[in-house]
Amino acid sequence: MNCPRDGEALAARTINDVTVEHCTSCGGMYLERGELNRVADPTSGDLEFSTIDLDTFQHDDEYGRIECPRDPGTSMKKVEFVTATNIILDYCETCGGFWVDGRELARINEEVKDFNEAAKEIPDPPMLRFAQFIWSLPFPR
């Protein structure tokens, strides 16, 4: 697999016990479906689902469109991490993978830290706890 930004061969890197493909040149990384939830700092909920659910896929960033490194020829969509974070990721609708540019994982972890701090301040209503439980069940998505 090659980097969609600069064409360099991607190398294996381990983050939180997950082996991902990353570019040693630009610092970007390709995350298979489910890996964003595992490489980001822990939080309740599903970060991937929250990112793509109801997104318009109509975002601009400084990098422009890229092809999926897993599915060459497939253009990745621009998606905003969760909502109102201004972190624009590249998402492949075909394979469900994400391309995360250089410093984006650090920015994602900062947002997750903020989410977790805010969650401590407000107790979850019972219906939310029930929904979180349902989403934690191993149903195919």
Side-chain angles (χ1 to χ4, degrees):
M1 224 182 324
N2 292 328
C3 175
R5 297 278 181 232
D6 58 29
E8 294 289 321
L10 298 179
R13 173 182 176 194
T14 301
I15 304 171
N16 296 340
D17 296 326
V18 178
T19 302
V20 300
E21 300 293 323
H22 89 288
C23 180
T24 57
S25 177
C26 74
M29 70 183 82
Y30 175 75
L31 303 174
E32 302 277 349
R33 182 187 314 253
E35 289 182 339
L36 178 59
N37 289 317
R38 296 171 48 211
V39 300
D41 287 347
T43 190
S44 63
D46 185 324
L47 295 175
E48 290 185 10
F49 177 79
S50 297
T51 297
I52 61 172
D53 185 47
L54 303 177
D55 194 89
T56 64
F57 301 105
Q58 302 294 317
H59 306 281
D60 292 321
D61 68 4
E62 63 210 70
Y63 300 108
R65 297 254 179 235
I66 59 172
E67 286 187 6
C68 178
R70 173 69 61 216
D71 295 308
T74 302
S75 181
M76 297 184 89
K77 307 275 184 171
K78 298 292 183 178
V79 61
E80 186 171 17
F81 174 71
V82 188
T83 52
T85 61
N86 237 6
I87 302 170
I88 306 301
L89 305 177
D90 297 277
Y91 172 71
C92 179
E93 289 183 304
T94 303
C95 69
F98 287 90
W99 179 260
V100 178
D101 287 301
R103 296 271 311 136
E104 287 177 340
L105 183 58
R107 292 181 60 208
I108 287 169
N109 285 332
E110 289 171 16
E111 289 295 330
V112 167
K113 179 182 173 191
D114 291 344
F115 298 154
N116 290 339
E117 290 298 317
K120 287 179 190 176
E121 297 174 12
I122 302 170
D124 291 338
M127 195 62 187
L128 178 60
R129 287 195 304 267
F130 177 73
Q132 289 170 335
F133 168 74
I134 295 298
W135 277 107
S136 71
L137 296 175
F139 293 120
R141 297 188 184 148

